[in-house]
């Protein structure tokens, strides 16, 4: 799986623009949380490029303020771990903890 790293707020405008052409995934990951590690592993094991979703990875510990900006920009409550599916500049699906699954994500596209 080829993650794009989300490391600065200017990328949020890029993600909005990209989501007009293809769905975009933001995976908010806490590197010290075992539940987050399990959710990330499940996503990576089940990932398929054929879904046409561009994946972004946000390390919450390294980019804590950015996580809040993501929540504000896409009007979701902050969770960790959390996935957001962005289409046409809006979050159309989000899930956290054990609700994170590639299958559910693809059904939301």
């Amino acid at each position: 799986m080829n993650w794009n790293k989300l490391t600065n707020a200017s990328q949020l405008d890029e993600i909005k623009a990209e989501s007009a052409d293809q769905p975009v995934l933001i995976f908010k990951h806490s590197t010290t949380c075992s539940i987050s590690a399990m959710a990330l592993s499940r996503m990576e094991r089940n990932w398929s490029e054929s879904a046409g979703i561009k994946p972004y990875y946000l390390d919450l510990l390294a980019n804590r303020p950015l996580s809040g900006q993501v929540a504000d920009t896409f009007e979701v409550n902050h969770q960790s771990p959390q996935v957001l599916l962005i289409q046409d500049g809006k979050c159309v699906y989000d899930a956290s903890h054990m609700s994170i699954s590639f299958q559910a994500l693809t059904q939301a596209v």
Side-chain angles (χ1 to χ4, degrees):
M1 182 170 181
N2 265 342
W3 288 108
N4 298 281
K5 291 187 178 182
L6 179 53
T7 57
N8 67 67
S10 66
Q11 289 176 279
L12 298 179
D13 288 333
E14 294 170 19
I15 287 170
K16 284 182 175 183
E18 289 172 340
S19 73
D21 296 325
Q22 73 179 104
V24 176
L25 167 73
I26 298 174
F27 190 103
K28 294 167 60 174
H29 175 60
S30 172
T31 56
T32 60
C33 173
S34 61
I35 293 172
S36 191
M38 185 169 44
L40 178 64
S41 176
R42 283 185 4 185
M43 182 65 70
E44 290 178 334
R45 280 193 320 269
N46 293 294
W47 187 259
S48 172
E49 295 295 328
S50 67
I53 301 169
K54 184 171 183 178
Y56 280 85
Y57 171 94
L58 173 59
D59 178 338
L60 295 175
L61 298 181
N63 301 285
R64 191 173 303 273
L66 183 54
S67 177
Q69 289 176 297
V70 168
D72 291 343
T73 298
F74 296 109
E75 300 177 350
V76 297
N77 291 324
H78 166 75
Q79 298 286 324
S80 171
Q82 184 177 36
V83 294
L84 288 77
L85 181 65
I86 313 301
Q87 289 184 294
D88 297 320
K90 296 182 168 84
C91 181
V92 297
Y93 172 83
D94 71 281
S96 64
H97 297 85
M98 299 311 296
S99 296
I100 294 173
S101 82
F102 181 70
Q103 181 180 11
L105 185 68
T106 58
Q107 290 172 351
V109 172

